[in-house]
Amino acid sequence: MEEDRMGQALRRIVRGLGVLDGDAPCCPGVTLAQCHVLTEVCGTPGTSLGELADRLGLDKSTVSRTVEALVARGLLDRQPRRENRRCVTLLPTPSGEGLGAELEAMRRRLYGDLLDRVPEARRTQVLEGLDLLAEALEAQGATPFRGDEGQPAPKSMDQKGRCVP
């Protein structure tokens, strides 16, 4: 069945990228969650916690804990917004910018090496397929393995793959 083939391929990709490992090779010295948060903040300095949570598809409390850990390590800084001092913006510190640049360079090398292993005539097809898969996941709303509130997804799903309570 197609769903089985897709599931097997995705599991192989996750394992191959080391995502199940707490110290994934793409994120030395930080957790995978911290890596994602740091990358997002470095890419869009001045973002708010809520904006960051929306972009990552996570609840604010999860992102807040991850941000706290990065602030404690001196990689991120919080600054109140001028127009609303209750809202803070997140900025990378110089150390955070350095680590963010290092992580970005490592990712580019990793993905470049992976693409080099794909026959050149098939690269466009692979990239288009990945874009389609990413768009399908985004259109689904919540990630397939958790509900909208970060809870495990119910076991039943409707015909479109959406969770049914």
Side-chain angles (χ1 to χ4, degrees):
M1 296 179 85
E2 288 180 333
E3 346 20 84
D4 293 335
R5 184 176 172 195
M6 182 175 175
Q8 290 169 0
L10 287 174
R11 283 192 300 277
R12 289 172 51 211
I13 290 168
V14 167
R15 283 192 306 268
L17 290 174
V19 174
L20 298 176
D21 184 0
D23 294 322
C26 65
C27 302
V30 294
T31 67
L32 190 57
Q34 291 170 350
C35 179
H36 285 293
V37 167
L38 183 61
T39 299
E40 286 294 324
V41 174
C42 286
T44 53
T47 191
S48 73
L49 189 65
E51 293 164 342
L52 182 60
D54 288 345
R55 244 191 336 274
L56 293 173
L58 299 170
D59 63 283
K60 281 174 93 171
S61 64
T62 299
V63 174
S64 180
R65 285 189 301 274
T66 305
V67 165
E68 280 298 318
L70 291 168
V71 168
R73 292 196 53 199
L75 298 171
L76 288 184
D77 188 25
R78 287 184 299 244
Q79 295 184 355
R81 286 197 171 167
R82 289 185 184 121
E83 66 275 7
N84 180 355
R85 298 195 56 80
R86 291 182 301 166
C87 185
V88 297
T89 58
L90 302 170
L91 300 165
T93 64
S95 295
E97 286 177 349
L99 181 56
E102 182 182 331
L103 294 172
E104 183 61 31
M106 290 178 72
R107 265 192 302 279
R108 285 177 183 261
R109 280 193 306 276
L110 170 68
Y111 298 148
D113 290 347
L114 286 173
L115 275 175
D116 287 345
R117 293 179 180 273
V118 174
E120 194 168 343
R122 308 274 315 264
R123 288 180 191 166
T124 299
Q125 181 183 8
V126 167
L127 294 172
E128 288 173 352
L130 289 170
D131 284 339
L132 285 171
L133 182 58
E135 290 168 12
L137 284 167
E138 290 164 354
Q140 187 171 349
T143 63
F145 302 109
R146 69 169 172 81
D148 291 329
E149 299 302 319
Q151 301 301 313
K155 294 194 189 276
S156 59
M157 296 198 172
D158 67 12
Q159 290 179 336
K160 294 183 180 181
R162 295 178 299 216
C163 297
V164 177

